[in-house]
Amino acid sequence: MISPAFASILASGRAQFNARAAEARRRFPSLDMAAFSAFLHDGVDPLVVAVAAAAPERVGGVTLAAYDMALELVGHGLAGPAAKTPFLSTVWRELAPQFAPLLATAPVDVLGMLSNAAIHIASVAGARPAQWQRELAALAAQIATLAQLRAVGQVLAWRAGVAHFRQGALAAADTLPPALALAAFGEPGAPWPQVRAQLQENPWRGNADGREFGSFTGLGGAFGTPPLVRASADGFVVYSGERHYLLVADAYGAVLHSATAQEFEQANADMPASVRLDGTTLQIGARRIELDVPAGDIAIAANAHTIAVTSPWTHAIRLLPLA
């Protein structure tokens, strides 16, 4: 059962809503109306209820905008019980209602922004969509404008593992009130210029242990053969299974993009002077790290802030902070 508020709006505008559904069926011949009805109940109804409570005079316009967008998303197979991106329904049901005041004034922008973000984050291997949703919901009461929603959403996507958002997220954070920027990084009360400088200078701030990335494709991983790695300014260029990749990694996550053989050939394979390998013991300055791979043929590449360790005995890349 849908809420009385939503049922009343649908009943009062039945002809208009039916016409929109008929037009959507012409545009999307495979549109599953049962899936659409399920998404109305699961995704649209909760945000209609929230807007009806926050701004009842706006609920009709919000409902119409949400109905049209729901038709589009279900028509593309992105929403509904068998959707390509199940996380999207969760965002509409649980996150969007937290932004009822913004939905009341700009429903298309807010729902479009949240939907696009949900689809993108859910598509990034290793990202943590639930963390992004949870942290954005926790800050909803402090977000007053669309621009702030966009900026905070980008910061939190980076912190949820979308590593290639790093520079864009830092630039977005600069547009926020300092208190909101600090809240987005979970550091309320700290001096924003200091936090900002540390984030810019040290991609591994808050994560001294680094991370491991990759595994065998036969087990659902990224690499068909043990990878070879070379360093670049943006990350590491990886060669594995006749394919080339760009690996971008930092304290929050690691993301793999496609790359070319030329980029691999031009990348740096040198080991910095501050790094020494003795058997399976890696020394980075004063730090000593025991590697859990057999000695021999261990390879090391480094850029300005990260060391990548590979071995012919594993499909994983060990990523360690250089500083």
Side-chain angles (χ1 to χ4, degrees):
M1 293 285 291
I2 61 174
S3 66
F6 193 19
S8 175
I9 293 170
L10 290 176
S12 64
R14 187 178 307 278
Q16 185 180 21
F17 288 114
N18 286 344
R20 280 172 146 76
E23 172 59 26
R25 284 197 296 271
R26 284 190 287 272
R27 292 171 53 214
F28 306 105
S30 61
L31 176 62
D32 185 341
M33 293 308 294
F36 174 63
S37 295
F39 187 58
L40 289 181
H41 179 276
D42 188 51
V44 177
D45 190 33
L47 63 89
V48 170
V49 171
V51 174
E57 73 283 0
R58 302 284 188 126
V59 70
V62 172
T63 301
L64 194 60
Y67 189 94
D68 285 345
M69 193 172 294
L71 283 168
E72 190 88 11
L73 292 171
V74 176
H76 285 292
L78 296 170
K84 303 172 188 174
T85 312
F87 179 57
L88 183 61
S89 293
T90 304
V91 166
W92 276 54
R93 181 178 65 251
E94 299 178 7
L95 181 59
Q98 304 296 319
F99 295 94
L102 280 179
L103 278 170
T105 58
V108 173
D109 291 326
V110 172
L111 290 174
M113 197 180 303
L114 293 177
S115 297
N116 288 335
I119 292 167
H120 182 75
I121 295 170
S123 73
V124 175
R128 302 177 292 278
Q131 175 187 323
W132 175 81
Q133 177 190 329
R134 182 178 64 253
E135 294 183 351
L136 187 53
L139 295 176
Q142 301 179 50
I143 296 172
T145 68
L146 282 169
Q148 290 179 0
L149 175 58
R150 183 179 295 107
V152 172
Q154 188 170 3
V155 168
L156 296 182
W158 172 34
R159 296 189 66 224
V162 188
H164 58 285
F165 274 16
R166 179 171 178 265
Q167 291 300 333
L170 285 172
D174 285 336
T175 70
L176 295 169
L180 182 53
L182 289 165
F185 285 103
E187 301 192 36
W192 169 242
Q194 178 181 328
V195 171
R196 175 38 165 109
Q198 292 172 353
L199 289 165
Q200 179 64 57
E201 293 167 7
N202 181 12
W204 293 97
R205 180 180 184 270
N207 181 351
D209 297 327
R211 65 178 64 255
E212 189 171 279
F213 179 86
S215 59
F216 178 47
T217 51
L219 299 175
F223 302 129
T225 60
L228 304 176
V229 174
R230 294 182 178 179
S232 73
D234 297 324
F236 294 92
V237 188
V238 182
Y239 175 68
S240 171
E242 305 299 321
R243 299 183 64 182
H244 296 86
Y245 309 89
L246 173 65
L247 175 60
V248 180
D250 64 12
Y252 298 128
V255 178
L256 205 62
H257 304 277
S258 60
T260 66
Q262 183 179 12
E263 288 174 307
F264 183 78
E265 292 301 323
Q266 293 174 346
N268 180 19
D270 297 335
M271 185 167 66
S274 60
V275 178
R276 189 171 74 252
L277 181 65
D278 182 10
T280 60
T281 300
L282 180 66
Q283 185 160 342
I284 308 171
R287 289 181 293 157
R288 293 173 62 85
I289 300 166
E290 291 297 328
L291 303 175
D292 56 353
V293 291
D297 296 321
I298 296 174
I300 297 171
N303 58 25
H305 46 70
T306 309
I307 295 171
V309 182
T310 56
S311 164
W313 303 101
T314 177
H315 288 75
I317 302 171
R318 180 82 179 271
L319 298 161
L320 297 163
L322 183 57

